[in-house]
Amino acid sequence: MYEFIKTNQMDIMLALCASCMTMALLLLITKFLPRRRKWILIGMELVAVFLLFFDRLAYIYAGDMSHTGYVMVRVSNFMVFFLTSGIVFNFNIYIIDLINEYGKLRIIPKRLMFTGIASIGGMLLAVISAFTGIIYTFDASNHYQRGPWFLMAYVVPVIGPLIQYTVCFEYRNKFSIFINTALFLYIFVPIIMGIVQIFTYGISIVNMAMVMVSVSLYVFSYLDINETVVKSHILEMETLQKEQKSMKRLFEQTAGAFVKAVEKKDEFLNGHSAKVAEVARRIANAAGKSTEEQEEVYYTAILHDIGMIGLPDSITEKDELNAYEKELIRQKPLLSAEILSAITEYPYLSLYARYCYERYDGSGYPEGLKGNAIPEVARIIYLADAYVAMSSPKKYRDALPMPIIREELIKGNGEQFDPYYTDILIKLLDADVNNKILTEEVQIETELQCGTYRDKISAGIAIENTVTNISFLCMESETAAGAFSQPSIILFDSFDRHVYNREREIEAFKYTEYGELWFDGHSVTTNARNILIKVTEHESEAVTTESAEQNYFISARRFEDHLMLVMDSKGRTVKVIVALPDKTKSAYIGITGENCYITGINIENTEDITRAEDIPRIEDELDYTDRMVSDVPNIQIDRPRSASTEGIAIKDHLKLKFHSVSLPSATLVWHCPYIVLFYSDDKKVYGEGYREYAMIKLNGESDEIKEFANNKVSIKKKEQFRNWNVWKDTCRKGMECEVLFKRKGNTITTVTENLGISIENITTINGGNGKVYVALSGDQVALTDIRIL
């Protein structure tokens, strides 16, 4: 390395001079550095350039006996020794500037004052040496020779930077990592090279090192500038984001206040727009929309009904409207668009609000747009609005139960609502039900103050396959004045576990009442097939207190379509067996009474499983499979997938034909046959090693199964499809179904068409093309005459 530098040092010096001069020119045009520091750095770069330039001239003219050589050797060597101390002086000024800016100090540290004076002394020493030769001299052949005080020339370049570094180290926490690195290199690299220089002769490694660290000083200063600019940009962006968030909060609060004022026109609309906005944003998020697109959906949804402010209060307070009032209602989106057009910062608000009541089939308003001609945001909001309207209470009804809402969404899919977003919402609702997000546990009252009979009824207590024990205290009301006073229970089924009396609610919640029971053995049978009661009288325990309270106990259990209740009160046990209409129904106990105060209601769910022999059967089991049996045994599915056929191995062009009839209790569009593609070791659904690949309902629904397979379903409504009410009626009367399976490797295509609903589902199984089975299942349906073709 030494020989390489010695051989090529002239070229190296020239290249370093050019580099350093380039840095000086770049510094001259930079606009990010403070003016003072920029000129200090330019001065340091130029001193380094001239130092190396004159050092190179000293080598070039060494030994030149001409007059020019004589002068240049002396001038160049003088400049080398003079500028060496000059570099220390310039660096001193640079450090002072740094600590003034970063350290906010206006008093120069004494150590820097000392090094500044010492560097000036070093430059004076170079001047003195030029006349006395104490540092260097020249021989007769015009060659440079070290003088007796040669080492004195290195005191300032070596000791000075060490003193300067003590200051830099003291203020190191004020500087960036780039500045600290540049200072360290600038100080210690020349010192190390200076020590090496003492023991070498013939090359100028100190001066070359000085130029290189001068270049590095520019590089690290520029990196520091970049970091400062980046930090400033980040800070500016954070400030901007805070301002945007602040403006967004202000907009939300203003919009919220505006909407709240509008919703005051109808107490049942309180919070409606906010709920619509949340549901709409959730749909948009599930559809993979960007954050910006989701915000457009959200804010439009919040304000889409703002036109209501222009409608007469008389309209919003009425349940039924005449033709003129309906026409006024149809102006609401136009009013909303007109009002929101004033918000010029968000022009999309007016545009989308105008079309939020357009229906996918073109029957909406104000313009009757159809399909994709309706803006996408408006389609999402219309769907979300319909869902929130159904799931919220109205003046004339409570919130609709989830099964009814789900059915309405399916019935409106592709007609009232955009099919793509409807499928997304249905899947979200199904996931919520599975995760118990939307199906909050029904709270059972702990006390009831009953006046007239059935004016207060508890929420339903489920009767399951395990034993449920219920206990409570009851006392006669103070206002009874000798009137009949006794608790009783109501046996019923409804989607939301509440008892209803009004016809509209009975239909909406599919309410079915089986009967009423009293603790004295009386009963009323409504929709139960039969109720058998046995009353046992027994001696009551001696009353030890004067309290009028009595203890009541109920033990309830169920097996398929039969219930058994044991009702205990003072002096009497009533044993009740109830035959339900069928196995599909749920059963709940509603506690009520007449002229009594019921308190301390307690429910205990045990793990005592009910078997068939635990409840004597009082009615025959209802069986709807009494038809022809073909290749596969007939099955009856009373509850969702409660039964399935055995698996049939799928081969290319396998065809299944069967007869389907929905059970009398079936009320929903998905009470129909299901097709299940799966694998298990014993060919049974949910058997050993079970893997499910697809589940297709003949009403057009398909579960999204991704763990073991990917499914792509295509559903079309043909001309034969009339409407969903006809679909349900035909399913109850019975229909012939046919399903075709085409298999190629690990891809299975399932094709079927029933009552105008055409389904093609392509299942791609992950990892291999082994055995795959198909089984028939369903919900509240009987499947008979199953043939394999």
Side-chain angles (χ1 to χ4, degrees), residues 713-730:
V713 62
S714 173
I715 303 164
K716 297 179 181 177
K717 291 179 181 176
K718 299 291 188 68
E719 291 182 1
Q720 301 93 308
F721 179 80
R722 295 173 61 187
N723 57 59
W724 285 107
N725 289 329
V726 172
W727 161 272
K728 291 193 290 186
D729 289 342
T730 307

Side-chain angles (χ1 to χ4, degrees), residues 59 61 132 161 356 359 375 546 582 662 727:
Y59 279 97
Y61 287 100
T132 62
C356 279
R359 295 165 59 113
E546 296 181 358
D582 54 48
S662 295
W727 161 272

Side-chain angles (χ1 to χ4, degrees), residues 472-488:
F472 57 87
L473 296 171
C474 183
M475 62 183 297
E476 183 179 309
S477 296
E478 295 179 359
T479 58
F484 178 81
S485 173
Q486 192 178 124
S488 61

Side-chain angles (χ1 to χ4, degrees), residues 585-609:
K585 295 291 187 181
S586 297
Y588 302 102
I589 293 174
I591 301 173
T592 186
E594 187 174 358
N595 298 318
C596 61
Y597 176 58
I598 299 170
T599 186
I601 299 175
N602 182 62
I603 303 163
E604 178 192 3
N605 296 308
T606 72
E607 296 181 358
D608 185 3
I609 297 176

Side-chain angles (χ1 to χ4, degrees), residues 727-788:
W727 161 272
K728 291 193 290 186
D729 289 342
T730 307
C731 286
R732 279 192 289 266
K733 292 175 184 176
M735 62 178 178
E736 294 296 322
C737 303
E738 180 178 305
V739 187
L740 173 65
F741 302 92
K742 295 181 284 186
R743 178 169 186 179
K744 186 175 182 180
N746 64 340
T747 300
I748 299 170
T749 303
T750 305
V751 180
T752 183
E753 183 177 332
N754 303 279
L755 306 179
I757 301 293
S758 175
I759 304 170
E760 181 182 78
N761 188 81
I762 301 175
T763 304
T764 304
I765 299 170
N766 300 329
N769 54 1
K771 288 186 178 179
V772 181
Y773 301 108
V774 59
L776 299 178
S777 186
D779 186 5
Q780 298 194 33
V781 67
L783 306 179
T784 59
D785 190 19
I786 304 171
R787 288 151 285 162
I788 304 173

Side-chain angles (χ1 to χ4, degrees), residues 42 46 87 103 115 128 239 242 334 339 454 530 550 568 774:
I42 290 174
L46 291 176
I87 281 181
T115 54
I128 295 170
T239 303
K242 287 179 181 178
L334 296 177
I339 293 169
R454 293 176 64 138
N530 195 0
Q550 290 191 40
D568 276 316
V774 59

Side-chain angles (χ1 to χ4, degrees), residues 559-575:
F559 185 81
E560 295 184 345
D561 59 348
H562 274 55
L563 310 178
M564 186 170 74
L565 294 86
V566 179
M567 305 166 61
D568 276 316
S569 59
K570 185 175 67 176
R572 185 179 294 113
T573 297
V574 179
K575 184 176 181 180

Side-chain angles (χ1 to χ4, degrees), residues 233 357 421 441-442 484 677:
H233 177 69
Y357 285 91
Y421 292 112
E441 193 66 28
V442 174
F484 178 81
L677 304 186

